[in-house]
Amino acid sequence: MEEFPGKQEELRYVLTSILPETSDSEFTWKDYQARVNNELVAVLGNFVNRVMVLMHKYYEGRVEGAVKLTDKTLNNEIGALYDALEENIENYRFRQGLQNVMDIARMGNKYLTDKEPWKTIKTDPEATREALHNCLCIIGHLAAVAQPFLPRTSQKMLRMLNWPGGVIGYDSEIQFPDGHQLNPSALLFEKVEDEVIDKQVQKLLDKKQAAAATTAATVIPAKANINYDSFATMDIRTGTILTAEKVAKTKKLLKLTIDTGIDERTIVSGIAEYYEPENIIGQKVCVLVNLEPREIKGILSQGMILMAEDSTGKLAFVSPIAALHNGSVVR
């Protein structure tokens, strides 16, 4: 979810919408896009934006006359949805509770469309004012009931309404005094474009392919068995790389000075293709200290550091997880 900074509300909504209360569901980015665009943007965001834009267009965002919900049918339907929401939350049916919230937004959209205030403003200005004032009350109710599910969105609505104190109670009476000034309208949600979703889908595919490649990686077969006495002859100690430099006229070799706890010694290692010398100073390593010294490119190498190698040839240091002192014995 870190790929979606600032989109927590949308993710919260979609994940709550697919809670497996009665059947199993799973999250997909395509479903995320559809729910955000078709529900949050087209229903909730669209209703709030239309009301606020019209209020500023016709009345410069100022309420004329004391405002409360005057439509009895709306009032009764909202009350029924409040009751259903309360019951659903008390019984942990959060998906259904969220749908109660969205049903209020759908109700608001239908009411606004039916009243057509953009038409009645010329023929019946009082009907326009009443319809938009009722819609402001619906937004107030939406801000109240959305708080458990979409707290940031609820705060955005309250700021647009210029609600006193910026806090609204679940059982608050939604009304506005004469002359109350609304704040400018702002979009609650942004449409999710196809390219954003395609990017997320591709990331999932890339991760699946990478995981499949890792699973299918060839593992080098085990060597022939040895007895314990043969293993016991090897003296492996923990150590620290003190200095590192490339060996002249070679591509693979680094000359390392290593504190083995026993002494400081030089070891030539073929890791130059994987590590830059300056990046491995202080690296903890495991060293086979009793390997017979041999001369490599004119340098006497006194031991061997242990490296892990996968089937692709990639190398990684074998080092202790805990902070052991140099010279600790690897058994």
Side-chain angles (χ1 to χ4, degrees):
M1 300 311 178
E2 65 278 6
E3 297 92 342
F4 270 74
K7 300 295 184 182
Q8 295 92 337
E9 294 282 271
E10 290 88 335
L11 287 167
R12 183 198 299 265
Y13 175 82
V14 174
L15 293 174
T16 304
S17 297
I18 61 174
L19 281 173
E21 296 168 359
T22 57
S23 61
D24 291 335
S25 302
E26 62 178 17
F27 176 89
T28 68
W29 284 114
K30 288 294 185 181
D31 187 51
Y32 168 87
Q33 181 186 30
R35 288 182 179 274
V36 171
N37 291 348
N38 299 334
E39 297 174 20
L40 290 180
V41 174
V43 178
L44 178 55
N46 182 56
F47 169 66
V48 173
N49 184 62
R50 288 202 296 167
V51 173
M52 297 301 297
V53 167
L54 290 175
M55 280 297 301
H56 282 277
K57 180 179 180 179
Y58 298 150
Y59 313 110
E60 297 182 343
R62 187 179 298 277
V63 168
E64 298 183 4
V67 173
K68 63 180 180 178
L69 192 60
T70 58
D71 189 294
K72 292 183 178 180
T73 300
L74 277 180
N75 193 58
N76 291 337
E77 290 179 354
I78 290 174
L81 286 170
Y82 263 81
D83 292 339
L85 173 60
E86 185 173 2
E87 181 181 351
N88 283 325
I89 290 178
E90 288 178 351
N91 290 280
Y92 308 103
R93 296 191 295 263
F94 302 119
R95 180 170 63 181
Q96 292 173 243
L98 184 56
Q99 286 308 303
N100 297 143
V101 176
M102 293 302 295
D103 284 342
I104 294 178
R106 292 186 181 93
M107 180 191 307
N109 267 315
K110 184 178 184 306
Y111 176 80
L112 186 62
T113 299
D114 290 344
K115 292 298 181 180
E116 297 183 319
W118 48 89
K119 291 183 179 179
T120 58
I121 188 65
K122 297 180 180 180
T123 60
D124 190 351
E126 183 56 37
T128 296
R129 184 180 294 105
E130 182 181 12
L132 290 177
H133 285 179
N134 281 334
C135 287
L136 287 178
C137 293
I138 296 174
I139 295 175
H141 284 297
L142 282 170
V145 298
Q147 289 175 119
F149 305 99
L150 304 170
R152 293 184 183 180
T153 302
S154 176
Q155 282 297 306
K156 287 181 182 179
M157 288 188 278
L158 291 177
R159 282 195 294 271
M160 282 189 274
L161 294 175
N162 195 17
W163 191 262
V167 178
I168 188 168
Y170 184 78
D171 56 353
S172 293
E173 185 174 358
I174 309 299
Q175 57 183 5
F176 302 90
D178 181 26
H180 179 79
Q181 181 64 50
L182 303 171
N183 285 323
S185 178
L187 293 178
L188 293 180
F189 307 99
E190 295 180 0
K191 184 178 180 181
V192 180
E193 302 296 342
D194 289 341
E195 54 266 28
V196 174
I197 295 304
D198 291 342
K199 181 180 179 181
Q200 297 306 316
V201 171
Q202 188 59 50
K203 283 184 179 180
L204 288 177
L205 291 175
D206 291 344
K207 289 180 180 180
K208 287 182 179 179
Q209 291 173 356
T214 301
T215 302
T218 302
V219 177
I220 299 172
K223 297 179 180 179
N225 289 343
I226 62 172
N227 58 39
Y228 179 80
D229 291 338
S230 297
F231 170 76
T233 61
M234 294 188 291
D235 189 354
I236 304 173
R237 306 291 182 106
T238 60
T240 303
I241 297 176
L242 302 178
T243 67
E245 60 183 274
K246 290 185 177 180
V247 176
K249 299 181 181 180
T250 69
K251 293 183 178 180
K252 297 183 178 181
L253 300 181
L254 291 183
K255 177 184 176 183
L256 310 175
T257 302
I258 298 181
D259 180 357
T260 66
I262 304 170
D263 52 23
E264 293 183 10
R265 62 177 64 191
T266 298
I267 293 179
V268 178
S269 180
I271 60 173
E273 292 182 304
Y274 300 93
Y275 295 97
E276 293 296 328
E278 62 272 17
N279 294 336
I280 60 174
I281 305 301
Q283 172 68 47
K284 284 286 190 179
V285 293
C286 290
V287 183
L288 181 59
V289 295
N290 65 336
L291 182 66
E292 183 177 349
R294 65 173 178 144
E295 188 174 302
I296 303 175
K297 295 296 182 179
I299 304 170
L300 185 64
S301 182
Q302 300 171 288
M304 180 176 68
I305 60 172
L306 302 188
M307 305 291 294
E309 180 182 8
D310 67 13
S311 60
T312 67
K314 182 179 178 180
L315 296 177
F317 289 105
V318 175
S319 57
I321 296 176
L324 300 176
H325 63 77
N326 292 336
S328 298
V329 177
V330 177
R331 301 184 181 279

